[in-house]
Amino acid sequence: MELELRQETVQCWETACRTTIEQEETAEMIVPDARPDIFQVVDGETRLLLQRKEPQDGKAEFSGLLKTTILYRPEGEGGLQTMEVTLPFAASPELSCITRRSVLRVTPRVLSTDVHLLNPRKVLVRVGCCLELEVYSPQVLDPASHVVEGEDYGVRQRPGVLESLVTVCAQEKDFTYSDVLNLPAGRPDAAELLRTRAECTCTEAKVIGSKLVFKGEAVLKLLCREEGGGVFSADFHLPYSQIMEVGEDREDSLCDLELFFNDVKCTLVEGEARSFQVDLALQAQAVLRRQVEVPVLTDLYSTDYELESESSTLSTLRMVQQDQTQESLREVLPLEAEATGLLDIQVRLGRLDQSREGQDLALKQQAELMALYETAEGPAAVKKSILVTHRVPEGGELHCIYRAELLREPTAVLGEEGVEITFPLAFHWMLLEKGSTQAISHVSLGEKREDADGQPSVVLRTVRQGESLWDVAKAYRTSDGAIMEATGLTSGELYPGQMLLIPRKSS
């Protein structure tokens, strides 16, 4: 006969896998008829707009657009010119861990943009990009906590606790921002918008009851050409505040939030030289984790019946350490021509990897630095790729959840050696130790145990090394309370060599 087990249920999410999907897209682009011939390509910048992500059984499907803005100097006069190349982006990685119920958390990144001039009317664009993907699958923790009505069969039960850091919510929310922005005083009128760059940061994320409240700002950087051919930039800081439903009360959760753009549109208002219509579409992806304690049944026996039981192994995670470390970085970008002023700077974060270095864990963030500057011959650009390494002491053997972010916009000054760019980079990391807990998963009741004739009713026995009161009681099919009463113990603590009186009948 099977004995009924009471189960404790925790609905959560399992991290099925973490992976990075990389690919390269290329296309040839002919200069539009309305644009002059290209004399020199100044810069190419790409943004990846991820517009669709969908889990399927055994694979994921992603699609979007790669929009590359090319700045170039035309043949003859006319000032800096621009054109945009739009490439369709699609990826369908096959991953057996994905089901239609999975949640895909993705960070899209542009790794490189190359623009090669084929002739004055044609360019070759090559874009390297990646998706940093985390797959979360629904999971139910339902260990047995005790045998229902076990006392009717003389069942003695040893309770335990499963302690683990679990993902209790993997949620996302789409939201938009639309507004008309006006150039600040001191900026000239804009004859043309050359380039738009959008970045988004989260400055605060807090769980209140069943809602996640998060706020921050989108930063819009516009590069414009004025009527006389000169180039100027304008920055806009657009604050946002959003609420996301995250289910039941999760105020004690640790929140990890990422945002990316689905679309970025910015155009000059028709007939205006100082107003821009801005439409942004974003997606916020939240992962909430918290420490749970779930009662589990770790062992059992019966003083009256034979029992057959099965155990299962439950995986656990224990948070060892969580921290944020800031790196203040300075890099000099050498210039090929003398600069008369700075027009734009950017620090773009690329691939983030980890590796073991002895007993430490090394987090390695790739970054590309760019400066657009004025020269006597017109605008020019310079780029530099760097690798920033942050070491996490004693983290080599542990599981690590990590990310990096720019804390503030970079600053730059012109010097004798070039453009010096300063920026703060923060590494967020959480070290987890994997473990396991054994729990009873099935119990069958056998025959009633018969007392053997001629056996003593009390046994005198010494405690062996590593033996507990539970071990002794189970071996003789009695109870720990009966042993304590017979021996005169006031505590359940035992030591090797200690003499015990063990009644053969449970009290």
Side-chain angles (χ1 to χ4, degrees):
M1 183 180 74
E2 291 188 12
L3 296 183
E4 181 183 354
L5 296 175
R6 177 69 174 270
Q7 292 178 303
E8 303 293 330
T9 301
V10 177
Q11 303 284 344
C12 56
W13 295 83
E14 176 187 16
T15 307
C17 76
R18 289 184 174 89
T19 188
T20 300
I21 301 110
E22 291 191 29
Q23 61 188 59
E24 186 178 86
E25 302 288 346
T26 60
E28 291 184 358
M29 176 66 179
I30 297 176
V31 179
D33 292 339
R35 293 288 180 183
D37 289 353
I38 299 175
F39 171 69
Q40 182 183 40
V41 173
V42 174
D43 190 28
E45 182 177 298
T46 303
R47 59 179 180 266
L48 171 53
L49 302 174
L50 188 62
Q51 298 174 327
R52 175 176 169 264
K53 60 185 179 81
E54 186 175 329
Q56 302 288 345
D57 291 331
K59 69 175 183 178
E61 294 183 352
F62 302 97
S63 62
L65 298 174
L66 288 162
K67 290 192 173 184
T68 300
T69 303
I70 300 171
L71 301 178
Y72 70 93
R73 289 164 57 190
E75 292 186 349
E77 300 296 328
L80 196 65
Q81 297 289 317
T82 183
M83 65 179 188
E84 188 170 83
V85 181
T86 300
L87 302 176
F89 170 83
S92 300
E94 295 186 359
L95 297 167
S96 59
C97 63
I98 297 180
T99 69
R100 294 179 184 272
R101 298 177 61 203
S102 300
V103 170
L104 308 178
R105 183 183 184 185
V106 61
T107 303
R109 298 191 188 277
V110 174
L111 303 178
S112 61
T113 301
D114 262 340
V115 181
H116 181 63
L117 182 62
L118 300 177
N119 62 53
R121 301 298 298 175
K122 184 185 289 187
V123 294
L124 174 66
V125 179
R126 181 181 290 109
V127 178
C129 58
C130 75
L131 301 177
E132 295 174 357
L133 175 63
E134 293 180 344
V135 179
Y136 292 90
S137 298
Q139 182 186 33
V140 178
L141 290 178
D142 54 354
S145 59
H146 64 277
V147 177
V148 179
E149 299 180 352
E151 62 276 4
D152 294 346
Y153 306 101
V155 177
R156 312 293 301 181
Q157 307 184 51
R158 188 177 193 177
V161 177
L162 181 149
E163 297 184 27
S164 185
L165 184 72
V166 301
T167 300
V168 292
C169 179
Q171 188 65 277
E172 59 191 37
K173 180 183 180 180
D174 295 314
F175 63 100
T176 59
Y177 183 101
S178 296
D179 201 357
V180 174
L181 306 178
N182 296 309
L183 287 172
R187 290 289 193 271
D189 290 350
E192 184 180 13
L193 176 60
L194 297 174
R195 183 168 69 188
T196 302
R197 181 187 305 133
E199 300 166 356
C200 193
T201 59
C202 177
T203 56
E204 182 181 352
K206 185 177 182 180
V207 180
I208 302 175
S210 63
K211 293 176 172 47
L212 171 62
V213 179
F214 60 99
K215 59 183 66 176
E217 66 177 15
V219 180
L220 202 64
K221 296 176 175 287
L222 306 184
L223 188 68
C224 304
R225 181 168 56 81
E226 55 183 301
E227 197 64 47
V231 178
F232 67 93
S233 60
D235 296 354
F236 298 91
H237 294 256
L238 315 176
Y240 69 85
S241 180
Q242 293 288 318
I243 296 176
M244 182 189 300
E245 293 287 345
V246 292
E248 63 185 50
D249 185 353
R250 306 198 187 279
E251 290 195 7
D252 56 347
S253 300
L254 302 172
C255 179
D256 184 6
L257 190 72
E258 289 271 6
L259 299 105
F260 67 83
F261 288 97
N262 297 120
D263 203 3
V264 175
K265 294 179 180 177
C266 183
T267 57
L268 268 168
V269 176
E270 187 175 355
E272 298 285 343
R274 303 191 63 80
S275 300
F276 300 87
Q277 175 64 50
V278 177
D279 297 286
L280 307 177
L282 304 96
Q283 184 175 99
Q285 307 169 108
V287 173
L288 303 184
R289 300 178 178 93
R290 71 175 175 185
Q291 191 78 16
V292 298
E293 296 184 358
V294 184
V296 294
L297 179 59
T298 61
D299 199 5
L300 81 171
Y301 65 91
S302 173
T303 58
D304 301 328
Y305 289 84
E306 298 292 339
L307 292 182
E308 289 186 5
S309 63
E310 297 177 3
S311 296
S312 59
T313 301
L314 304 175
S315 299
T316 61
L317 284 174
R318 181 178 68 88
M319 187 170 70
V320 177
Q321 191 176 4
Q322 182 184 24
D323 205 352
Q324 169 187 315
T325 307
Q326 179 176 330
E327 302 275 353
S328 295
L329 301 163
R330 288 180 174 83
E331 291 288 334
V332 176
L333 282 61
L335 305 182
E336 295 182 358
E338 183 178 353
T340 58
L342 280 173
L343 295 172
D344 190 19
I345 58 170
Q346 181 190 18
V347 175
R348 190 188 70 226
L349 299 185
R351 188 185 299 106
L352 176 61
D353 299 310
Q354 64 169 320
S355 62
R356 284 183 57 187
E357 295 185 358
Q359 295 300 312
D360 297 344
L361 181 70
L363 304 180
K364 299 179 179 181
Q365 175 67 68
Q366 294 181 355
E368 184 179 65
L369 285 60
M370 183 280 295
L372 184 68
Y373 59 99
E374 288 273 22
T375 71
E377 297 182 353
V382 60
K383 293 182 179 181
K384 181 180 181 180
S385 295
I386 64 171
L387 182 65
V388 183
T389 300
H390 174 69
R391 297 175 70 92
V392 180
E394 304 295 329
E397 300 292 340
L398 301 172
H399 177 65
C400 185
I401 298 173
Y402 57 93
R403 63 183 177 90
E405 68 169 341
L406 291 171
L407 292 180
R408 296 187 301 277
E409 295 179 53
T411 58
V413 294
L414 284 171
E416 294 182 358
E417 298 180 354
V419 180
E420 182 181 84
I421 296 181
T422 304
F423 61 98
L425 182 64
F427 288 89
H428 305 263
W429 45 269
M430 181 188 299
L431 294 179
L432 304 174
E433 185 178 46
K434 296 182 178 180
S436 62
T437 296
Q438 292 293 319
I440 299 296
S441 57
H442 179 82
V443 182
S444 295
L445 188 69
E447 298 294 326
K448 187 174 178 63
R449 184 178 295 108
E450 299 293 338
D451 292 335
D453 295 336
Q455 288 194 355
S457 59
V458 177
V459 174
L460 183 63
R461 182 182 179 284
T462 59
V463 177
R464 303 186 182 100
Q465 181 71 37
E467 208 169 29
S468 68
L469 190 58
W470 171 270
D471 298 327
V472 176
K474 181 178 179 179
Y476 288 90
R477 296 294 192 271
T478 186
S479 70
D480 48 5
I483 296 175
M484 292 180 65
E485 183 179 351
T487 310
L489 300 177
T490 59
S491 167
E493 298 293 328
L494 302 182
Y495 57 87
Q498 183 178 5
M499 300 298 296
L500 297 177
L501 285 174
I502 306 170
R504 298 300 295 270
K505 290 284 188 180
S506 173
S507 60

